[in-house]
Amino acid sequence: MNGPGPKIDFKRNRDRMVRDQIEARGVSDPEVLRAMRKVPRHLFVEEALIPQAYEDHPLPLGHGQTISQPYVVAWMTELLEVSRGQRVLEIGTGSGYQAAVLAELGAYVFTVERVRPLYEAARRLLESLRYLKVRFKLDDGTLGWPDEAPFDRIVVTAGGPRIPEPLLAQLADPGRMVIPVGASRRSQELHVVRKENGRILARKLGDVMFVDLVGAHGW
């Protein structure tokens, strides 16, 4: 009869993840690195995938969704330039991992998810972990959260054919959004969008691959 397997040292795995996958690729914001070291990523994946939680690739969540590769989460978070106390809108709650990282930075997080089982599971988990600055909404994320706008920062964790107009309208001035955009599904470029004095300024930072942004202003 087999006994229990070897115990996984999650803290050591997180430290290795940050050192080898994130810092090694150029993410240097000390607060982002601290948050990535602290959030227990293994709690945000399916039980069978826990041994892979800190590996250098995305993992399936079910319902056609994924938890992003750790480096991508850290890179997008650094690009957001979040300051403590800012209001951040997240489109695509998924597992809740990105929301937890943002909450660790001291942000007030408003996260929208369209898939009910993911919304319910993420809400239960984040509440159990005492991330009390995170609020949840079950809705079409491409519509944003107009009742709580404007937002200092917006992060979108799914790729659509264009930047949704409601999100641009709900972005504060000044404000910053990080969003994958692409003309074909599952292939996008990461955009950093800034609103300054009523002007929208966008720059592209390279190819990424996210699940589809589904909704009235997506696919």
Side-chain angles (χ1 to χ4, degrees):
M1 185 173 178
N2 294 328
K7 185 176 180 181
I8 300 173
D9 187 337
F10 293 117
K11 182 181 184 305
R12 182 178 179 184
N13 286 354
R14 277 197 298 280
D15 289 344
R16 184 187 298 119
M17 173 190 77
V18 171
R19 182 186 69 239
D20 296 346
Q21 301 174 34
I22 297 171
E23 285 187 289
R25 288 189 176 106
V27 174
S28 60
D29 184 307
E31 284 299 295
V32 173
L33 298 176
R34 179 191 61 78
M36 296 297 292
R37 286 191 185 98
K38 184 171 180 183
V39 177
R41 183 177 167 90
H42 60 281
L43 298 182
F44 292 83
V45 304
E46 295 180 2
E47 186 174 0
L49 298 175
I50 285 175
Q52 301 179 53
Y54 297 100
E55 293 183 5
D56 189 20
H57 52 75
L59 293 169
L61 294 175
H63 310 281
Q65 305 302 301
T66 62
I67 179 173
S68 294
Q69 175 187 6
Y71 165 70
V72 171
V73 174
W75 181 37
M76 292 178 70
T77 304
E78 183 174 63
L79 290 172
L80 273 181
E81 298 183 1
V82 175
S83 298
R84 186 167 295 275
Q86 286 184 325
R87 294 162 55 85
V88 181
L89 174 65
E90 180 195 26
I91 305 304
T93 310
S95 68
Y97 180 68
Q98 174 74 79
V101 171
L102 292 168
E104 285 291 346
L105 297 178
Y108 292 91
V109 184
F110 299 79
T111 184
V112 184
E113 174 57 57
R114 68 180 181 85
V115 180
R116 182 178 290 276
L118 295 180
Y119 158 84
E120 292 175 345
R123 184 169 191 162
R124 284 195 302 269
L125 177 57
L126 289 173
E127 288 177 351
S128 73
L129 294 173
R130 305 294 291 169
Y131 285 112
L132 304 181
K133 291 183 177 181
V134 182
R135 292 179 58 188
F136 303 84
K137 186 178 186 183
L138 179 67
D139 205 351
D140 174 355
T142 69
L143 303 176
W145 197 329
D147 292 346
E148 294 293 346
F151 299 97
D152 303 297
R153 300 288 186 266
I154 298 177
V155 61
V156 183
T157 60
R162 66 192 68 84
I163 301 171
E165 286 295 332
L167 302 186
L168 288 173
Q170 292 169 38
L171 185 62
D173 188 349
R176 176 178 286 250
M177 180 191 316
V178 176
I179 179 172
V181 180
S184 63
R185 294 185 173 211
R186 305 295 172 105
S187 177
Q188 307 96 19
E189 289 182 294
L190 194 64
H191 289 53
V192 176
V193 180
R194 290 180 295 136
K195 184 185 284 189
E196 294 181 2
N197 299 316
R199 296 176 61 214
I200 301 297
L201 308 168
R203 61 189 174 108
K204 302 174 184 178
L205 291 180
D207 295 336
V208 289
M209 186 171 67
F210 281 82
V211 298
D212 293 341
L213 179 64
V214 176
H217 297 268
W219 293 110

